Amino acid sequence: MMKENKWLEYKQDITNSFLKTVSAFANFGSGTILFGVTDDGENTGMQNPTQACLDIENKINDSISPKPDFTLNIIERTGVVALTVSKGEYTPYLYKGKAYRRSDTADIEVDRIELNRLVLSGQHQYFEKMPCEEKNLSFNYLQQVMAEKLGIAALSEDVLRTLGFMTDDRQYNKAAALFADKNNFYGVDLARFGSNINEIMDRETISHVSVLLQFQEAVKLFKKYYQYETIHGIERKTVELVPENAFREALANALVHRTWDVDAHIRVAMYSDRIELTSPGGLPSGLTEQEYLNGYISNLRNPVIGNVFFRLKLIEMFGTGIRRIKDAYSSAMQKPSFVIGEQSITVILPVISQAAKLTPEEKQLLDSLSGGMLLSSSEISRLTGFSRDKVIRIIKRLTEKNYVSVYGNGRGTKYTVNK
């Protein structure tokens, strides 16, 4: 039997402790509790499964408010009772006046910020749409960008309403404040490190200004350290140590999908071999890790912000950012990686040199050598479908890039991929 995890709980007996788990599942995501199973996963069954179902249902109805959506099933072969709780629409679901969440296999009372989010979610509202305390906002930078990108010369009240910056009673909301020239929100903290994290070569914090300015200034600092120009004859060429498209997508995703109700910056740590972008807030509710990694954003945390970034062509269609980051590294050996935590998401963009980029044919040939064996050009030709002459040409390029080593000579020449 599976081990207990975030969405699976075992209970040998019926005690009130399972009600915290019911609250957690109803608030944050569907899960199952199996009654008649020990912590080690041993099926002991319930002595009277039918009565157990009645007891469980009564406890939920009497103790959880509002009533969550759940089902009870008896596994006849073992006498185990399965309680499945679905994520509810009317959060928060409270047990003894408290809301709970899962942390691995434990049930933890949510903090004030999380409780506020549950309340907004239950009312089908977003933090960014809540009224803003500031009444006199200016949008000079936003107007400048919209004039350049969309040809909009003036930001009238109608335009601001169309952008979603105003409440029903014509007050500015928090999304408006985030695009205003000055606000009270945290922003982006960028640090360029030397040989270790104690050696800070450059530091810039961009906060309390428009999210658009945060985006542009961060991209400017990125270009300073991860792009340079080379000149061959009369041709001037920009070399990217990290694909700019990947950085822009990762930064835009962080600004669009982060939680704005916490006092924390988006952290951009710049190293000689990588960039790490960490944004506050884990996955949006209802989005699984696999859906995120596959590029499917089914539930935008900040739809107003996302819509403005989309209109200004700073992001493509919603949900394609992760795929576009991966596409930017399609010809590189080192790939971006993603670390998903409960309270943050980190995107790691490795440095690649121009020489390290691979053509599709080079990558296909390297894949044929991925087993680590020594192969002749004829053997590689059979595996790839390339002609022997073509194999020799590609191997020469890969050898110059230090991806392939050559052993022997003449007819006995063999090739292998470098580790």
Side-chain angles (χ1 to χ4, degrees):
M1 183 174 284
M2 291 178 58
K3 292 183 178 180
E4 288 181 303
N5 56 49
K6 191 173 184 179
W7 309 117
L8 178 64
E9 177 77 9
Y10 296 152
K11 296 291 184 184
Q12 189 169 1
D13 303 302
I14 301 173
T15 63
N16 287 343
S17 65
F18 86 91
L19 294 167
K20 296 180 181 179
T21 311
V22 173
S23 168
F25 288 160
N27 284 321
F28 290 99
S30 305
T32 299
I33 305 172
L34 297 180
F35 294 89
V37 181
T38 67
D39 291 342
D40 296 329
E42 179 185 355
N43 290 330
T44 58
M46 301 301 291
Q47 188 172 3
N48 187 337
T50 301
Q51 183 60 47
C53 288
L54 291 173
D55 293 342
I56 293 166
E57 183 172 359
N58 287 335
K59 283 181 177 291
I60 293 175
N61 291 339
D62 293 342
S63 305
I64 304 293
S65 179
K67 180 183 175 181
D69 183 15
F70 64 91
T71 59
L72 283 160
N73 292 289
I74 298 173
I75 303 173
E76 299 291 347
R77 182 174 57 84
T78 60
V80 170
V81 174
L83 167 64
T84 300
V85 182
S86 300
K87 185 185 184 308
E89 293 185 22
Y90 305 105
T91 55
Y93 292 85
L94 306 176
Y95 169 56
K96 291 187 176 180
K98 299 177 180 179
Y100 291 85
R101 65 176 176 85
R102 294 283 279 179
S103 177
D104 196 11
T105 60
D107 301 306
I108 308 296
E109 183 183 351
V110 302
D111 59 23
R112 180 184 57 79
I113 291 176
E114 286 179 305
L115 182 60
N116 289 340
R117 292 173 187 164
L118 289 172
V119 171
L120 288 176
S121 177
Q123 297 172 347
H124 302 289
Q125 296 184 24
Y126 296 90
F127 173 79
E128 62 173 359
K129 294 185 179 180
M130 299 299 292
C132 171
E133 296 178 0
E134 179 61 52
K135 308 301 180 186
N136 299 312
L137 299 177
S138 64
F139 301 96
N140 294 323
Y141 189 75
L142 173 62
Q143 181 171 320
Q144 175 187 329
V145 175
M146 296 199 76
E148 294 172 357
K149 298 269 189 176
L150 304 177
I152 297 177
L155 294 181
S156 64
E157 182 176 314
D158 286 340
V159 172
L160 294 175
R161 287 176 64 83
T162 299
L163 293 175
F165 286 179
M166 307 191 80
T167 63
D168 291 339
D169 54 358
R170 297 178 181 271
Q171 293 185 65
Y172 287 126
N173 58 25
K174 294 185 184 296
L178 283 163
F179 283 94
D181 297 319
K182 294 182 180 181
N183 57 55
N184 295 319
F185 289 99
Y186 278 55
V188 183
D189 183 29
L190 304 102
R192 169 69 175 174
F193 294 98
S195 57
N196 58 68
I197 59 174
N198 296 319
E199 188 178 352
I200 300 177
M201 310 298 292
D202 197 356
R203 187 76 178 266
E204 187 170 344
T205 301
I206 313 159
S207 61
H208 309 309
V209 296
S210 170
V211 290
L212 293 177
L213 186 59
Q214 293 176 30
F215 179 82
Q216 298 296 353
E217 291 299 308
V219 170
K220 190 182 300 183
L221 194 65
F222 160 83
K223 290 182 176 182
K224 177 179 178 181
Y225 291 111
Y226 294 96
Q227 288 184 0
Y228 63 92
E229 290 188 339
T230 60
I231 300 175
H232 298 283
I234 62 173
E235 183 181 358
R236 185 183 296 270
K237 185 176 181 181
T238 299
V239 177
E240 297 181 337
L241 298 178
V242 169
E244 182 179 340
N245 284 345
F247 180 80
R248 293 174 70 92
E249 287 289 343
L251 180 61
N253 272 1
L255 290 165
V256 168
H257 299 299
R258 65 156 290 176
T259 53
W260 285 101
D261 55 357
V262 294
D263 293 338
H265 294 297
I266 294 169
R267 304 285 183 181
V268 181
M270 299 178 168
Y271 302 93
S272 60
D273 63 341
R274 71 192 186 281
I275 302 175
E276 296 182 359
L277 298 97
T278 301
S279 58
L283 294 175
S285 179
L287 184 70
T288 67
E289 182 172 332
Q290 197 58 46
E291 287 172 332
Y292 170 82
L293 293 175
N294 288 337
Y296 303 116
I297 304 296
S298 58
N299 187 5
L300 280 176
R301 180 177 279 131
N302 305 297
V304 174
I305 300 171
N307 183 54
V308 176
F309 269 65
F310 175 70
R311 287 171 180 263
L312 296 176
K313 302 187 186 304
L314 297 177
I315 59 174
E316 295 293 327
M317 292 179 60
F318 296 138
T320 63
I322 301 303
R323 279 177 282 171
R324 288 171 62 82
I325 291 171
K326 292 178 179 179
D327 287 346
Y329 281 84
S330 61
S331 62
M333 287 294 287
Q334 289 181 296
K335 305 296 183 183
S337 57
F338 308 86
V339 181
I340 302 171
E342 290 190 358
Q343 302 299 328
S344 66
I345 294 176
T346 299
V347 179
I348 303 172
L349 305 175
V351 164
I352 56 175
S353 67
Q354 195 69 10
K357 292 184 178 179
L358 300 173
T359 66
E361 291 178 342
E362 289 171 339
K363 188 174 185 303
Q364 184 178 346
L365 192 147
L366 276 181
D367 288 342
S368 72
L369 292 171
S370 60
M373 295 185 296
L374 287 167
L375 298 177
S376 67
S377 57
S378 298
E379 291 170 326
I380 297 172
S381 177
R382 285 195 296 272
L383 289 171
T384 59
F386 301 154
S387 68
R388 187 172 175 276
D389 288 343
K390 185 174 183 178
V391 167
I392 295 297
R393 289 196 302 272
I394 296 174
I395 285 178
K396 182 179 179 181
R397 296 201 302 266
L398 291 173
T399 303
E400 292 171 351
K401 295 178 181 180
N402 200 33
Y403 281 110
V404 170
S405 292
V406 183
Y407 294 88
N409 53 65
R411 291 182 177 273
T413 303
K414 300 277 187 177
Y415 308 93
T416 189
V417 64
N418 289 331
K419 302 297 181 185

